């Protein structure tokens, strides 16, 4: 039976002691996504390690009477090509069935919004299935922009391991003459660890065409470490058709070097790119990346909350039956 409205819920920072409960709820979340539980193969030891390393970050909702974790929000650092400030990527959001319709999920998101706004972080980003109507409606009400609709941003995935390993091998090969790669930290506050992201530009000296964007690690409890890249193609007036830059081999070299620069061997690659850039879209598909919007197991779309909408979420009042832990309003949680 649903719990009574007066039941007090504490929103607090997640710790290592919460990992087992959160992992069990993550499995329940996977069960609701068309058999995705088959891909849940990461053990709690790995979750503990990533929590201590600072990549996996948690907010949890706990029943004040029993102390039991009844919901959680897992997030990691996020970087967008169009945003100078870093943000947060919402990897998982789950609330137990009996506690739904009591704004637990909204309160977890509002708490994360306050953390972002109070710490100079400029956006929240997440992925959602169009078929998940309750989640879609909730995110729209909170002001999230569906970038897959407004900017035609596609979400692409590279797996299994043989394709990812091929990408890493390509990253160790030298770049062809005439191409140069610039790499720099996305944000000095998070440099030097798994949280650090990279801004990059792979440029052709002959025509100044470039592949540029951001790359960082995210963490999925189903798959472990994943590289998430935000990629754009810039083509000035280029007389070279085709341009030297635009080849599957160069794209694989770029993605491999990005992964190696993050000091990781990701199990998957997730990539966001505009579908209207047809040359780039074609290269992505030829590299082995799969466009997940329209795939048989669900239409996955990219959503972002930024600017005034992020401020609105940060200022959102939570119901009286929520108790927000003090350090959830402080930058120290980062």
């Amino acid at each position: 039976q649903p719990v009574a409205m007066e039941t007090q819920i504490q929103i607090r920072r997640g710790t290592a002691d919460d990992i087992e409960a959160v992992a069990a709820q993550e499995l329940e979340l996977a069960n609701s996504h068309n058999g995705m539980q088959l891909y849940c193969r990461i053990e709690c030891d790995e979750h503990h390690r990533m929590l201590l390393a600072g990549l996996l970050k948690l907010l949890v909702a706990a029943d004040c009477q029993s102390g039991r974790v009844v919901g959680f929000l897992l997030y990691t650092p996020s970087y967008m090509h169009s945003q100078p400030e870093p943000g947060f990527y919402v990897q998982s959001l789950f609330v137990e069935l009996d506690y739904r319709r009591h704004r637990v999920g909204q309160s977890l998101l509002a708490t994360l919004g306050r953390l972002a706004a109070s710490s100079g972080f400029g956006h929240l980003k997440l992925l959602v299935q169009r078929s998940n109507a309750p989640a879609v409606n909730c995110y729209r009400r909170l002001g999230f922009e569906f970038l897959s609709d407004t900017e035609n941003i596609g979400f692409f995935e590279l797996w299994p391991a043989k394709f990812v390993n091929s990408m890493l091998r390509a990253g160790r090969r030298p770049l062809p003459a005439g191409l140069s790669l610039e790499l720099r930290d996305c944000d000095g506050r998070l440099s030097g660890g798994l949280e650090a992201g990279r801004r990059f530009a792979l440029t052709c000296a002959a025509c100044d065409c470039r592949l540029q964007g951001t790359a960082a690690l995210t963490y999925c409890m189903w798959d472990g470490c994943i590289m998430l890249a935000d990629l754009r193609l810039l083509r000035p007036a280029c007389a070279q058709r085709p341009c030297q830059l635009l080849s599957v081999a160069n794209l694989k070299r770029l993605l491999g070097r990005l992964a190696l620069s993050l000091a990781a061997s990701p199990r998957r690659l997730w990539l966001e790119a505009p579908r209207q850039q047809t040359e780039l879209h074609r290269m992505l598909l030829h590299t082995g990346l799969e466009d997940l919007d329209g795939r048989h197991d669900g239409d996955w779309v990219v959503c972002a909350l930024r600017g005034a909408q992020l401020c609105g979420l940060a200022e959102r009042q939570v119901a009286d039956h929520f108790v927000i832990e003090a350090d959830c309003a402080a930058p120290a949680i980062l």
Side-chain angles (χ1 to χ4, degrees):
Q1 294 293 323
V3 296
M5 256 323 249
E6 61 270 15
T7 300
Q8 281 203 317
I9 304 295
Q10 182 189 38
I11 306 292
R12 60 171 174 80
R13 214 176 147 180
T15 69
D17 292 337
D18 300 312
I19 287 292
E20 288 191 14
V22 167
Q25 291 177 343
E26 183 76 30
L27 180 59
E28 188 174 343
L29 179 63
N31 288 337
S32 68
H33 282 85
N34 297 321
M36 291 299 291
Q37 71 273 16
L38 298 174
Y39 300 99
C40 291
R41 47 184 174 262
I42 306 300
E43 301 293 333
C44 282
D45 287 347
E46 179 71 0
H47 304 331
H48 277 283
R49 191 171 72 83
M50 290 296 102
L51 183 69
L52 293 174
L55 181 59
L56 184 160
K57 301 173 186 293
L58 285 173
L59 293 175
V60 299
D63 187 308
C64 288
Q65 184 173 356
S66 65
R68 187 167 63 88
V69 173
V70 299
F72 73 92
L73 188 154
L74 187 159
Y75 65 102
T76 63
S78 167
Y79 306 93
M80 295 177 68
H81 170 260
S82 60
Q83 296 283 116
E85 303 90 3
F88 294 135
Y89 185 84
V90 179
Q91 180 61 245
S92 296
L93 175 60
F94 177 84
V95 178
E96 287 189 354
L97 183 61
D98 290 347
Y99 289 80
R100 294 174 193 173
R101 299 188 180 277
H102 291 337
R103 300 183 180 178
V104 177
Q106 290 186 34
S107 297
L108 285 164
L109 281 168
T111 301
L112 186 62
R114 280 195 292 276
L115 285 171
S118 66
S119 309
F121 283 55
H123 67 270
L124 303 183
K125 191 164 63 170
L126 54 83
L127 193 66
V128 67
Q129 281 183 300
R130 291 187 194 274
S131 57
N132 187 351
V136 167
N137 293 335
C138 174
Y139 295 141
R140 288 196 189 279
R141 285 196 304 271
L142 293 176
F144 277 84
E145 180 183 359
F146 282 55
L147 301 183
S148 298
D149 298 333
T150 61
E151 299 180 15
N152 199 19
I153 299 298
F155 189 84
F156 302 82
E157 180 180 55
L158 181 67
W159 75 290
K162 66 178 182 179
F163 292 119
V164 177
N165 291 335
S166 173
M167 177 190 75
L168 294 172
R169 287 195 299 271
R172 296 185 177 95
R173 299 185 189 120
L175 292 172
L179 298 186
S180 61
L181 177 61
E182 177 190 1
L183 285 172
R184 58 187 175 87
D185 284 344
C186 283
D187 185 78
R189 288 171 290 180
L190 297 176
S191 60
L194 291 178
E195 302 164 88
R198 301 284 185 269
R199 292 194 182 272
F200 63 86
L202 179 63
T203 305
C204 176
C207 60
D208 205 33
C209 289
R210 66 187 64 190
L211 291 166
Q212 68 179 38
T214 63
L217 295 179
T218 187
Y219 187 80
C220 174
M221 279 190 152
W222 304 351
D223 278 314
C225 278
I226 296 171
M227 187 173 83
L228 176 61
D230 185 9
L231 182 64
R232 299 294 184 275
L233 169 63
L234 271 69
R235 291 209 72 177
C238 178
Q240 299 188 61
R241 298 288 179 174
C243 175
Q244 175 194 5
L245 174 68
L246 302 180
S247 73
V248 169
N250 287 335
L251 180 58
K252 289 177 71 173
R253 287 187 182 99
L254 170 62
L255 296 174
R257 289 195 173 205
L258 291 173
L260 294 171
S261 78
L262 295 168
S265 297
R267 290 182 172 89
R268 292 182 188 241
L269 165 65
W270 289 346
L271 190 146
E272 298 165 10
R275 291 192 184 89
Q276 66 267 27
Q277 294 190 336
T278 54
E279 291 172 298
L280 176 58
H281 188 263
R282 186 163 51 247
M283 274 201 308
L284 294 173
L285 297 180
H286 287 170
T287 303
L289 286 140
E290 183 180 5
D291 190 338
L292 298 196
D293 191 3
R295 199 171 71 169
H296 64 88
D297 61 352
D299 299 337
W300 294 93
V301 294
V302 182
C303 306
L305 189 75
R306 48 196 172 179
Q309 287 72 31
L310 177 60
C311 293
L313 178 65
E315 294 167 0
R316 197 178 186 90
Q317 296 295 316
V318 299
D320 292 340
H321 60 285
F322 286 95
V323 179
I324 310 299
E325 188 181 54
D327 72 349
C328 281
I333 194 172
L334 307 177

